[in-house]
Amino acid sequence: MAAYRSAAGFQRVLHAVKHVCFSKQRCGVIICRYSTVYDPTEKTFDKILIANRGEIACRVIKTCKKMGIKTVAVHSDVDSSAVHVKMADEAVCVGPAPTNKSYLNMDAIMNAIKQTGAQAVHPGYGFLSENKQFAKRLAAEGVSFIGPDTHAIQAMGDKIESKLIAKAAKVNTIPGFDGVVKDAEEAVKIAGEIGYPVMIKASAGGGGKGMRIAWNDEETREGFRFSSQEAASSFGDDRLLIEKFIDNPRHIEIQVLADKHGNALWLNERECSIQRRNQKVVEEAPSTFLDPDTRRAMGEQAVSLAKAVKYSSAGTVEFLVDSKKNFYFLEMNTRLQVEHPITECITGLDLVQQMIRIAMGYKLQHKQSDIPINGWAIESRVYAEDPYKSFGLPSIGRLSQYQEPLDLRNVSTQICLDNFFFCFLLVTYGKTREEALKKMEEALDNYVIRGVTHNIPLLREIIVHPRFVSGDISTKFLPEVYPDGFKGHMLTAGERRELLATAAALYVAVEIDGEKVEVSGEWNLASALLPLTINGKHRTLQVYKHAYFKLRVLSKLAASLSKHMPEKVPEDTSSILRSPMPGSVVAVSVKPGDNVAEGQEICVIEAMKMQNSMTAAKAAKVSSLTHIHKLIHNPPRYSVHHKSI
């Protein structure tokens, strides 16, 4: 073990919690009112090791402290000063930065358990949370795994097996092929029998990885290739299955809770339909779409599946729901979900506390009739992505400024970090959906992130779009609302005047388009936020060095001379194929001298464990392959040069 630290006397300023109506902490903030009672006399575990990092590790530590349980954090060498490390009572370094040598290093984590005497392990989500071998090793050492047993992990982690179990439990399933697809040609044959469109997906998959929609034979062959490669890279298992694609569905999931005594509950639903590339962007609880009867039917089927597999812990059963409220089993996640806080907000239950009690062998404290829907909660996932490219391709950079909107009531932020991207989870809660949406709008306006391109502009447009506000959504929301891609907010004439007036007010008072615009407020030009009143309306503006909207305020002389200072013409990159994201080059499909057609694949880049095909923008001849390295750190440096035909 590289390092070991005891922090029993550590003065945790970051963990100071004010027990008023709502509780907050800097990492892993939960804003809901918990109806859960933390009984310090109830015997659970003396010490729990959290086999994770970041937001979820902080989240677990917070509940452990309320329950009087000591905690052990694990960390890589570069995470030694992370917040979750400082919050824990003890911390152990489990290896260097690469996750396969630290957070996925089972030997190192097992040694940390022995070294600290931890009695149980909470895996969080990701990493080893759904690894049956890890759960087996813990059981062999007499250490409790705070999650389901290995049988449930195995059964629900395999999409083929889980679908067969679901059918036997009389859970609605999507028509499709239940076996393993051998090769691309068999995939074409099966797809033809099922009928297009079809969904090709990794048997051991999750999180949108290893999934492709195919509308014809050619797309099936291509989808088979990419999905199998992604599945092998992400899960070490390239097996695929094919099923009927439910066009224009909603993605709605049911939170379940089950103990070791055969009791199980459904904790209402989460609407997760706003997605890009099969990955969630905005979630809410409850759903605007479900009526009480459909909600009950989905909940009862989710519980039926949990009981069929003898599930014990918190878990999530995901469904696709069509326009007529027919619903079909998609998969079961045998862990805590990233979006679990919005369920906690509307039910008042602390899911981590429930998981710990269940792992200790206690029965559930609640009956189904005890589970409420109080208010509305919304979660936005703020990614380090460029939303103007395919609704979000990974971006890189140095985080130079960060300011959370914590001055707003009933708003929380939580931070998840990965090797290639960051994800800030922004959660708002209100008595009604309208109130929760309004708080989300204010929170996004007041969220300051500098140095890295992020998707807040897209999130802001989604939550105020009339279709989203009315609840008219599906998994195809983004491509339908923005068929030509997201272009940013289009200013109205009034908004243009307001923005120009604000810029001018910082310089000199003027009239805009012949109309007087009143701008007032107390601002500090050193602040990233400008709280203003414009024509009687409250506005929050952010000041950027490089603005989303190009504004110039000039004197008359400067304006008259500006015509003699033409803007620099952008570089012509039409003859160069550049990767729009950092990632690994996993395949190069051309060689110098090849003639390529418009849309033809040039190479394949893997980013965030997703395969992305880079294609030619026009018919051309490849002249050279320049600096094609295994890992792309700086996309503009690596390119394929070609000449137009």
Side-chain angles (χ1 to χ4, degrees):
M1 220 41 52
Y4 174 80
R5 177 182 64 78
S6 176
F10 183 75
Q11 195 171 9
R12 298 170 188 80
V13 178
L14 289 173
H15 186 63
V17 178
K18 295 180 180 179
H19 292 283
V20 288
C21 293
F22 291 83
S23 63
K24 290 184 177 181
Q25 70 182 49
R26 175 63 177 77
C27 183
V29 184
I30 298 300
I31 58 172
C32 55
R33 289 186 177 95
Y34 286 131
S35 59
T36 297
V37 176
Y38 302 96
D39 183 358
T41 65
E42 184 178 72
K43 175 64 177 174
T44 55
F45 302 103
D46 296 324
K47 187 183 293 185
I48 291 175
L49 182 143
I50 299 98
N52 218 297
R53 66 179 179 188
E55 175 271 324
I56 188 58
C58 295
R59 167 71 187 87
V60 174
I61 292 171
K62 179 185 177 184
T63 289
C64 286
K65 291 185 179 299
K66 288 183 177 180
M67 297 177 71
I69 301 171
K70 292 185 180 298
T71 55
V72 179
V74 296
H75 63 90
S76 65
D77 52 8
V78 296
D79 287 342
S80 59
S81 297
V83 178
H84 78 281
V85 175
K86 295 179 180 180
M87 285 178 61
D89 296 289
E90 303 171 48
V92 180
C93 181
V94 289
T99 56
N100 64 332
K101 295 181 180 179
S102 52
Y103 297 99
L104 290 171
N105 186 341
M106 280 192 257
D107 290 338
I109 292 175
M110 294 303 297
N111 287 336
I113 294 168
K114 292 177 182 178
Q115 191 171 348
T116 59
Q119 301 164 312
V121 171
H122 196 299
Y125 45 69
F127 291 140
L128 298 172
S129 62
E130 295 178 284
N131 189 304
K132 64 179 183 296
Q133 296 302 327
F134 183 56
K136 283 182 179 179
R137 290 187 64 172
L138 291 175
E141 296 294 329
V143 178
S144 296
F145 180 70
I146 302 177
D149 62 25
T150 55
H151 166 70
I153 295 173
Q154 164 68 33
M156 294 294 100
D158 187 303
K159 285 186 171 62
I160 295 173
E161 185 176 354
S162 65
K163 189 174 181 180
L164 294 174
I165 293 173
K167 280 185 176 180
K170 302 193 182 312
V171 176
N172 303 340
T173 58
I174 301 171
F177 179 69
D178 294 332
V180 177
V181 184
K182 297 176 183 177
D183 53 39
E185 292 311 310
E186 185 181 33
V188 170
K189 179 177 180 294
I190 293 169
E193 293 171 352
I194 295 173
Y196 287 110
V198 297
M199 174 70 83
I200 302 168
K201 57 169 64 173
S203 175
K209 298 180 179 69
M211 295 176 66
R212 287 290 190 283
I213 300 167
W215 296 80
N216 53 50
D217 291 354
E218 183 180 349
E219 290 184 3
T220 298
R221 291 187 182 92
E222 184 180 84
F224 182 90
R225 176 165 70 99
F226 284 137
S227 291
S228 59
Q229 290 172 353
E230 288 176 2
S233 173
S234 298
F235 315 113
D237 184 344
D238 65 357
R239 294 175 304 142
L240 301 178
L241 60 85
I242 298 180
E243 59 190 21
K244 181 70 176 176
F245 175 64
I246 307 300
D247 195 16
N248 220 35
R250 288 175 178 256
H251 183 139
I252 299 178
E253 58 191 31
I254 301 291
Q255 177 74 58
V256 295
L257 200 62
D259 63 24
K260 299 178 184 295
H261 305 277
N263 304 305
L265 302 171
W266 47 275
L267 308 182
N268 304 311
E269 78 279 2
R270 296 185 288 259
E271 172 81 65
C272 307
S273 297
I274 306 299
Q275 304 179 0
R276 51 100 180 94
R277 297 190 299 282
N278 299 310
Q279 292 181 313
K280 301 165 186 174
V281 177
V282 177
E283 302 108 338
E284 61 182 305
S287 168
T288 61
F289 189 61
L290 297 190
D291 56 68
D293 290 340
T294 306
R295 176 179 294 115
R296 184 182 308 106
M298 292 178 70
E300 289 174 352
Q301 287 200 15
V303 164
S304 177
L305 178 63
K307 289 184 175 180
V309 77
K310 294 183 172 58
Y311 196 86
S312 60
S313 193
T316 298
V317 181
E318 301 191 350
F319 293 93
L320 290 181
V321 186
D322 68 18
S323 59
K324 297 181 180 178
K325 297 183 181 176
N326 299 308
F327 56 90
Y328 305 93
F329 169 69
L330 187 61
E331 64 181 355
M332 183 176 190
N333 291 300
T334 57
R335 54 173 167 77
L336 201 63
Q337 292 280 94
V338 172
E339 59 271 23
H340 78 274
I342 58 176
T343 292
E344 294 182 321
C345 284
I346 66 167
T347 62
L349 297 182
D350 181 338
L351 293 183
V352 174
Q353 189 238 19
Q354 296 297 320
M355 294 176 75
I356 293 171
R357 294 188 74 260
I358 290 168
M360 193 65 189
Y362 289 111
K363 291 183 178 181
L364 294 179
Q365 297 172 301
H366 304 87
K367 303 186 297 294
Q368 189 63 58
S369 58
D370 297 332
I371 308 302
I373 297 180
N374 288 330
W376 214 282
I378 298 171
E379 176 178 281
S380 292
R381 300 194 185 194
V382 182
Y383 291 111
E385 294 180 336
D386 186 343
Y388 304 99
K389 297 177 180 177
S390 300
F391 302 112
L393 290 182
S395 64
I396 56 176
R398 183 181 295 276
L399 186 63
S400 59
Q401 187 175 3
Y402 179 75
Q403 183 176 324
E404 295 178 353
L406 291 182
D407 290 338
L408 304 176
R409 183 176 172 81
N410 293 0
V411 177
S412 78
T413 53
Q414 306 166 49
I415 305 173
C416 299
L417 294 173
D418 205 344
N419 287 352
F420 278 118
F421 73 107
F422 66 59
C423 176
F424 301 107
L425 307 178
L426 186 60
V427 179
T428 61
Y429 172 79
K431 294 179 180 179
T432 64
R433 186 172 187 260
E434 182 181 13
E435 182 181 331
L437 282 174
K438 184 62 178 176
K439 291 182 184 299
M440 180 60 72
E441 183 180 345
E442 292 179 37
L444 290 169
D445 284 345
N446 284 271
Y447 211 154
V448 179
I449 300 172
R450 300 285 190 273
V452 181
T453 303
H454 53 74
N455 67 335
I456 285 180
L458 174 61
L459 295 170
R460 180 64 165 73
E461 289 298 294
I462 290 172
I463 60 126
V464 298
H465 193 279
R467 272 191 57 179
F468 183 82
V469 173
S470 68
D472 179 18
I473 62 176
S474 74
T475 57
K476 296 175 68 175
F477 177 87
L478 289 178
E480 287 180 350
V481 171
Y482 308 104
D484 299 321
F486 179 64
K487 306 298 182 184
H489 180 69
M490 300 294 108
L491 292 173
T492 65
E495 289 172 334
R496 174 180 170 275
R497 283 192 293 270
E498 288 182 5
L499 198 58
L500 286 169
T502 304
L506 298 176
Y507 185 75
V508 64
V510 296
E511 288 189 354
I512 307 297
D513 295 339
E515 293 187 22
K516 186 176 180 181
V517 180
E518 294 185 1
V519 181
S520 62
E522 296 182 4
W523 59 69
N524 177 357
L525 295 183
S527 172
L529 296 173
L530 293 179
L532 302 173
T533 300
I534 305 175
N535 286 345
K537 296 179 182 178
H538 175 71
R539 303 285 191 186
T540 299
L541 279 75
Q542 295 195 22
V543 181
Y544 280 81
K545 182 178 180 182
H546 302 290
Y548 284 109
F549 301 104
K550 294 182 67 174
L551 301 172
R552 290 202 301 170
V553 180
L554 304 173
S555 65
K556 288 184 177 180
L557 176 60
S560 66
L561 295 175
S562 64
K563 62 183 178 182
H564 302 295
M565 302 174 66
E567 292 188 10
K568 182 179 178 181
V569 178
E571 177 190 4
D572 180 9
T573 60
S574 61
S575 65
I576 297 175
L577 176 67
R578 289 180 172 173
S579 173
M581 70 198 81
S584 301
V585 178
V586 296
V588 178
S589 308
V590 298
K591 61 183 182 299
D594 285 356
N595 291 324
V596 296
E598 180 180 347
Q600 181 176 334
E601 179 180 288
I602 302 298
C603 62
V604 177
I605 305 295
E606 182 177 275
M608 292 171 57
K609 299 181 180 178
M610 300 286 282
Q611 303 275 332
N612 300 277
S613 178
M614 303 292 106
T615 60
K618 61 183 179 181
K621 183 175 183 178
V622 179
S623 61
S624 65
L625 304 178
T626 306
H627 300 303
I628 297 289
H629 289 176
K630 182 179 180 182
L631 186 65
I632 291 180
H633 289 292
N634 186 0
R637 291 177 53 208
Y638 305 94
S639 55
V640 178
H641 295 266
H642 55 279
K643 299 175 181 178
S644 298
I645 295 176

